[in-house]
Amino acid sequence: MTADTIAALATGAGRAGVAIVRVSGPHAGACIDALTQTPRPAPHRAALRAIAHSQTREQIDEGLVLFMPAPASFTGEDVAEFHVHGGQAIIAALIDALTSLPNVRIAEPGEFTRRAFERGKLDLTQAEAVADLVDAETEGQRKQALRQYRGELQNRIEQWRSALIAIMALCEAEIDFPDEDLPDQLAQTARPQIAALAAELASFLEDAHRGERVREGYRIAIIGAPNAGKSSLLNALAQREAAIVSDIPGTTRDVVEVRLVLAGFPVWIADTAGLREARDVVEAEGVRRALERARDADLRIAVMDSRAPEIPDAIRAHDFAVFSKSDIAPPSAEAIHAALDCELEAYVVSARTGAGMAELLAALEARVARALAAEESAPITRARHRAQIEAAHAALLRADAAFGQGAELAAEDLRLAARALGRITGRVDVEDILGEIFSRFCIGK
């Protein structure tokens, strides 16, 4: 257990009506006593107190004070909160008064949440969700972070880990207790369970990185020939002059990105250099970046001048084909049919007049919603989660293949799989296996 007590501003920096300074640790209650010189309030009850420096007795402010004794607090330690007026001078004076007390220091980044994890109040996925809730800027991000904070991903991981521990118990029992009155070939009965669990993990991984994209943003690349109207389309979608528009071909040399919120999710839309035979090294680099952005994007919008449409090679099935400059000349029926034959969604727009933009925007929102909308199962939200689930899946496949060579080899891979899953939540306990053996087979009577 940590001996020192930490303090920090829990609300946002800057002027505000109210600011909350949080204190956590064994001396949290003593901080209230020292700064108020009155009996601390009843647990979890707010009380109005005059707050003053313990040494000079100069009053800092008058505000609400709360005391939450361990373990019924966010961190699992004694926690105190001072709700004061949100002026910078008040906050600075309060923190100075707190840190002047013995064994009280400024908290390090994330230390309150880390202490909550270390005391079993949160697992690692929930601790990460706290950060995601703080950073959430869209409705989709908020909902996803809240689902993870409520423990949906943790519950799924623990279900897999519990199933894996049961399988490990079968193997370990046969290896370590051969003289006990156990069913024959217990390890062989575990093999179908391993295959089923491996299949479930594989299915969970086939999610098109939905959870990561909700956190980081759905990526759309606008591609096409020079002067096709790509920058004008970007500006129309962003509703501001984000990119330079010119009649001179090749104006856009680098990638220009704007961030939008579509269907409640963050979306990054990138305008790229025109795709053509480069005339200099700078343009060549722009074309390279355009093709790279098109390759990595979740969706590509092929912008084509309605008068001379040309479908880019970088386009893929189910991408969007946008015929621009319809106010000058509409596209031919043959051009639209060619796009449809390539399995593209075709739209006719004019960035200048706004014609067709509402339909295009609605289609983009529908595509983003289909790609990122919540599913029944909690999603993978971080590369760390995905890497450990992939490691557990690989270990299960190795365990299944190792049964022909003996249960000992299979058991080792099962342990590696359990350890990988345990790293996601931060709960790795080899004693679980022994407990499962005793409960299942009554060993030790």
Side-chain angles (χ1 to χ4, degrees), residues 158-238:
E158 287 303 317
Q159 287 172 6
W160 290 338
R161 189 164 167 268
S162 296
L164 189 52
I165 289 171
I167 297 170
M168 294 167 66
L170 294 172
C171 296
E172 295 286 354
E174 184 171 291
I175 296 169
D176 295 336
F177 304 96
D179 297 330
E180 295 291 332
D181 185 17
L182 302 175
D184 293 336
Q185 297 182 332
L186 281 175
Q188 289 301 320
T189 66
R191 192 168 188 180
Q193 299 178 39
I194 293 174
L197 186 56
E200 188 172 347
L201 264 61
S203 176
F204 193 74
L205 288 167
E206 293 175 356
D207 62 349
H209 295 257
R210 180 176 61 84
E212 292 105 313
R213 288 188 293 169
V214 172
R215 286 186 66 247
E216 300 165 6
Y218 187 86
R219 298 199 172 270
I220 300 175
I222 300 176
I223 60 175
N227 238 25
K230 301 185 299 299
S231 298
S232 296
L233 179 64
L234 178 74
N235 291 342
L237 291 171

Side-chain angles (χ1 to χ4, degrees), residues 91-112:
I91 296 169
L94 177 54
I95 291 179
D96 177 67
L98 286 167
T99 54
S100 69
L101 297 172
N103 301 310
V104 180
R105 62 172 174 81
I106 293 292
E108 297 177 0
E111 192 171 1
F112 286 97

